[in-house]
Amino acid sequence: MRASVRINFFRFAALLIFLGGSGYYFSLQEEMWSVLGGVNPEYVFIMALMDSFFFLSNAMILKILLKSFEVSLSVKECLSISSLAGVGNLLTALRGGTIGKAVYLKRKYTFPYMSFIAATSAVALINLTLAALIGAIAILMIGYSSHPLLAVFLSFFVVVNLLFCFLLFSPGKMVTCSWKIFDRLSGIAKGLDLIRRDRKLVIKISFLLFLNFSLSIAELALSYGAFSIDISLAEVILMDAISMFSEVIKILPGNLGVYEGSIALSSQILGVGFREGLLAAGLVRVVSIFVMLIFGLIFGLRILVGKSNEEPVRQ
């Protein structure tokens, strides 16, 4: 109990420090707010459309993934779950929406928590593997000698690819253990083993994640274009790949500030400019929150008000 109170205190303190610092910083950026207000609505509409396809793709990933565990959901219910989880992650620290998703699936479909962790871990591994692969290609296109840190990023991406490919496709298996913590880890490993044995499943999820990555790159490129900032496609790809790894940090609600910081710092490293990166990331954030709230109102409320009349289906 004491450990839980201590953790919650540190979360609250971190949130207060971040919000206070962010509020002070953005209060000094009157020019930035005036620039954001002058963005062409056509850019915002196209970015919102891309975010909508992103949500639909995430719902399909959930549907395909759960089907491999013999849990059948409709596309509409997957959209409801994904939308509500997205809003929950936006409002709570440490991916509270994802935890809510796990609880919902457990209560309605008796889907084990360990299987949920295994499934989400597999998706995360595939997602980061794709980000590392595409990020490495982007660095080779830009030229890793153009900045000392690019060689470091390239090495990191190569190591991540080798490690994650081993975790996803290695033939080894873990057996149950009498120690509780290792028994839980073995449960996760068994779930990962179930997924990686199904190569068609890995291919389908990889395709949808690649689609998400492409949509994210296009949206970030449009955001830079909305401010008439000159930037190459390879640079946008690298920034987006780096931002994928920033999502591993789940301290603040909606990863607020972490995504923006990763894009701004990447933009500075590539010579585009810190302020320019912050503007582009800020526009992406505003549009994504707007779309997320709309999807949450349209689909997420079905779960909250109990209008989802679909019966649990297990094949």
Side-chain angles (χ1 to χ4, degrees), residues 168-245:
L168 282 169
F169 302 111
S170 61
K173 297 181 181 180
M174 287 182 65
V175 295
T176 56
C177 175
S178 57
W179 292 3
K180 190 173 182 180
I181 185 170
F182 288 107
D183 189 48
R184 289 184 176 181
L185 289 174
S186 69
I188 296 174
K190 286 179 179 178
L192 287 173
D193 183 62
L194 174 65
I195 292 170
R196 66 189 179 189
R197 279 191 284 114
D198 190 345
R199 297 300 171 89
K200 289 184 178 179
L201 174 66
V202 173
I203 292 172
K204 289 178 182 178
I205 292 176
S206 297
F207 172 77
L208 289 171
L209 289 174
F210 180 77
L211 176 62
N212 282 355
F213 195 51
S214 301
L215 289 170
S216 180
I217 291 169
E219 185 176 10
L220 183 58
L222 274 174
S223 186
Y224 274 103
F227 299 108
S228 302
I229 300 171
D230 187 25
I231 188 171
S232 70
L233 179 60
E235 289 172 333
V236 175
I237 293 173
L238 178 57
M239 290 180 193
D240 207 62
I242 293 173
S243 73
M244 290 286 184
F245 286 89

Side-chain angles (χ1 to χ4, degrees), residues 119-165:
T120 52
S121 298
V123 173
L125 285 175
I126 297 172
N127 195 33
L128 292 178
T129 302
L130 282 172
L133 176 62
I134 297 174
I137 294 173
I139 291 176
L140 293 175
M141 292 170 63
I142 296 170
Y144 58 84
S145 60
S146 59
H147 193 283
L149 282 177
L150 292 184
V152 176
F153 282 128
L154 179 60
S155 301
F156 172 75
F157 287 150
V158 171
V159 171
V160 166
N161 267 291
L162 294 174
L163 176 61
F164 287 177
C165 284

Side-chain angles (χ1 to χ4, degrees), residues 11-143:
R11 290 180 191 170
F12 183 69
L15 180 59
L16 283 180
I17 293 171
F18 173 79
L19 290 178
S22 298
Y24 176 73
Y25 174 80
F26 286 118
S27 67
L28 301 177
Q29 306 299 314
E30 295 182 6
E31 182 185 355
M32 185 182 73
W33 289 115
S34 63
V35 172
L36 279 174
V39 172
N40 190 329
E42 292 182 2
Y43 283 94
V44 175
F45 175 77
I46 297 173
M47 290 170 67
L49 195 61
M50 289 178 176
D51 268 324
S52 301
F53 282 118
F54 188 90
F55 268 96
L56 180 60
S57 177
N58 279 337
M60 292 305 300
I61 290 173
L62 179 63
K63 178 177 175 63
I64 293 170
L65 194 61
L66 290 179
K67 190 174 181 180
S68 68
F69 288 92
E70 299 182 347
V71 177
S72 180
L73 278 71
S74 67
V75 176
K76 186 179 291 186
E77 187 172 13
C78 288
L79 274 170
S80 299
I81 296 172
S82 297
S83 301
L84 199 59
V87 175
N89 290 335
L90 179 65
L91 299 176
T92 60
L94 299 176
R95 305 288 286 183
T98 303
I99 296 172
K101 184 196 297 186
V103 173
Y104 174 84
L105 293 172
K106 173 69 173 178
R107 289 184 177 180
K108 185 171 183 179
Y109 295 97
T110 63
F111 189 59
Y113 290 129
M114 289 301 105
S115 296
F116 179 84
I117 294 173
T120 52
S121 298
V123 173
L125 285 175
I126 297 172
N127 195 33
L128 292 178
T129 302
L130 282 172
L133 176 62
I134 297 174
I137 294 173
I139 291 176
L140 293 175
M141 292 170 63
I142 296 170

Side-chain angles (χ1 to χ4, degrees), residues 25 261 263-265 267-268 272-279:
Y25 174 80
I263 294 296
L265 288 173
S267 186
Q268 178 68 24
V272 180
F274 185 89
R275 177 180 174 277
E276 287 76 6
L278 196 60
L279 280 172

